[in-house]
């Protein structure tokens, strides 16, 4: 699926670059952490993802070779949430550039959670005005103000900005490109209760500074965020969230791209609006 394809999936509007990582001392419970990782390990994991995808595609193309007379063939398969297209068109409306007005269904909750993960991980979170718009869009009204206060404190931390290689105003050094992007790998509904639907989003992230003088090169990490979503004003909103590391695929060696190639890729390939 590519930017602007026939399905109606599109680039993430003004928030094409995605998810950032807040300091390890998470002040508000929902911000993802970014542990220090060497560039080599990040590159190794990327290869692991490619290898696993290739293996999965090859396996899927084999088809079901089980005997029709075997009554246990289907029952032995583990239950998973489907990730193939369902025929339901993605939402067409946006609020502050973020997809909105999701269906009041489990699939709608999964799509909302994935899109919210992308927005909360975007580079726009380092801009005060855009951050406030994102927070007020994805969080339920009763917790949005508290989340905004905590995030403002975290994103204005000079120690945090210095650790990720940004200047005091949150911008990258001259000649470098700041990259913060979330790519959802899958979602599932963990539970459905009267007071909310819990959705888990498994995703990989790209984060760092791309440029020849960068001391924080772009690396990748894997996380799972759990969102409790409530139905508010005809849409899903986050009422609580938490994040954990992994699952992390097995990594393999792969040659790192040059800083110029990485910068070009980030600038030319927009982020996804996620839906299924």
């Amino acid at each position: 699926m590519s930017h602007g394809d026939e399905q109606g999936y599109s680039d993430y509007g003004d928030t094409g670059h995605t998810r950032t990582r807040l300091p390890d001392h998470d002040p508000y419970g929902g911000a993802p952490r970014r542990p220090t990782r060497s560039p080599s390990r990040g590159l190794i994991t990327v290869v692991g993802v490619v290898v696993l995808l290739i293996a999965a595609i090859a396996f899927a193309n084999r088809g079901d070779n089980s005997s029709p007379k075997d009554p246990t063939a289907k029952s032995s398969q583990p239950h998973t949430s489907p990730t193939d297209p369902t025929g339901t068109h993605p939402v067409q409306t946006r609020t502050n550039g973020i997809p909105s007005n999701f269906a009041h269904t489990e699939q709608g909750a999964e799509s909302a959670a994935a899109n919210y993960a992308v927005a909360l991980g975007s580079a726009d979170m380092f801009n005060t005005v855009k951050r406030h718009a994102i927070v007020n869009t994805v969080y339920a009204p009763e917790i949005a103000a508290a989340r905004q206060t905590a995030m403002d404190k975290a994103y204005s931390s000079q120690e945090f900005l210095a650790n990720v290689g940004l200047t005091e105003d949150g911008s990258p050094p001259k000649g470098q490109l700041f990259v913060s992007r979330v790519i959802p790998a899958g979602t599932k509904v963990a539970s459905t209760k009267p007071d909310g639907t819990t959705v888990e989003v498994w995703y990989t992230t790209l984060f760092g500074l791309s440029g020849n003088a960068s001391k924080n090169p772009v690396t990748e990490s894997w996380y799972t965020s759990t969102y409790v979503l409530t139905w508010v004003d005809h849409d899903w909103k986050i009422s609580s969230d938490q994040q954990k590391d992994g699952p992390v695929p097995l990594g393999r060696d792969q040659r790192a791209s040059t800083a110029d190639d990485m910068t070009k890729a980030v600038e030319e390939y927009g982020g996804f609006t996620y839906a299924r």
Side-chain angles (χ1 to χ4, degrees):
M1 181 168 57
S2 62
H3 170 55
D5 68 9
E6 70 280 2
Q7 293 290 336
Y9 295 83
S10 65
D11 149 307
Y12 205 146
D14 293 332
T15 58
H17 295 164
T18 56
R19 198 168 184 98
T20 190
R21 290 289 165 270
L22 297 185
D24 287 341
H25 55 284
D26 180 352
Y28 53 90
R33 297 167 287 108
R34 179 168 298 276
T36 302
R37 300 182 61 186
S38 66
S40 60
R41 182 175 180 184
L43 293 170
I44 289 173
T45 306
V46 172
V47 179
V49 176
V50 174
V51 172
L52 290 175
L53 287 175
I54 294 174
I57 293 172
F59 180 81
N61 288 336
R62 294 190 328 187
D64 184 2
N65 296 321
S66 60
S67 170
K69 297 181 180 180
D70 182 1
T72 64
K74 292 185 178 180
S75 61
S76 62
Q77 299 299 317
H79 173 73
T80 60
S81 296
T83 56
D84 54 308
T86 62
T88 301
H89 291 288
V91 296
Q92 301 297 316
T93 55
R94 294 173 183 268
T95 301
N96 293 320
I98 303 171
S100 59
N101 293 337
F102 295 94
H104 194 190
T105 62
E106 288 190 353
Q107 180 179 318
E110 289 181 80
S111 291
N115 277 294
Y116 294 167
V118 170
L120 288 168
S122 69
D124 284 340
M125 291 292 288
F126 284 78
N127 177 286
T128 301
V129 174
K130 293 180 179 179
R131 179 172 65 250
H132 289 179
I134 292 172
V135 171
N136 289 325
T137 299
V138 307
Y139 283 102
E142 63 269 19
I143 70 168
R147 286 292 193 267
Q148 180 172 297
T149 299
M151 288 185 179
D152 285 345
K153 181 178 179 180
Y155 280 97
S156 63
S157 167
Q158 296 305 305
E159 180 181 2
F160 170 51
L161 295 173
N163 285 340
V164 299
L166 300 178
T167 61
E168 293 183 356
D169 63 356
S171 60
K174 184 178 180 180
Q176 298 184 33
L177 175 67
F178 176 51
V179 181
S180 181
R181 183 176 297 190
V182 159
I183 306 98
T187 62
K188 74 172 183 179
V189 173
S191 66
T192 300
K193 300 179 181 179
D195 59 344
T197 297
T198 301
V199 179
E200 296 180 5
V201 183
W202 179 40
Y203 56 90
T204 186
T205 68
L206 301 179
F207 188 88
L209 292 169
S210 180
N212 292 323
S214 175
K215 296 181 180 179
N216 300 80
V218 178
T219 58
E220 60 82 33
S221 301
W222 286 86
Y223 301 94
T224 297
S225 283
T226 301
Y227 299 103
V228 177
L229 302 175
T230 55
W231 190 249
V232 180
D233 294 333
H234 308 292
D235 208 354
W236 291 108
K237 300 292 182 180
I238 301 173
S239 59
S240 68
D241 52 355
Q242 59 182 347
Q243 179 262 345
K244 65 180 181 180
D245 291 347
V248 180
L250 178 66
R252 294 178 181 269
D253 290 332
Q254 187 176 24
R255 182 175 63 86
S257 298
T258 65
D260 288 342
D261 286 342
M262 180 61 68
T263 299
K264 182 178 179 181
V266 172
E267 291 177 334
E268 293 183 354
Y269 294 95
F272 285 106
T273 293
Y274 183 92
R276 65 173 185 79

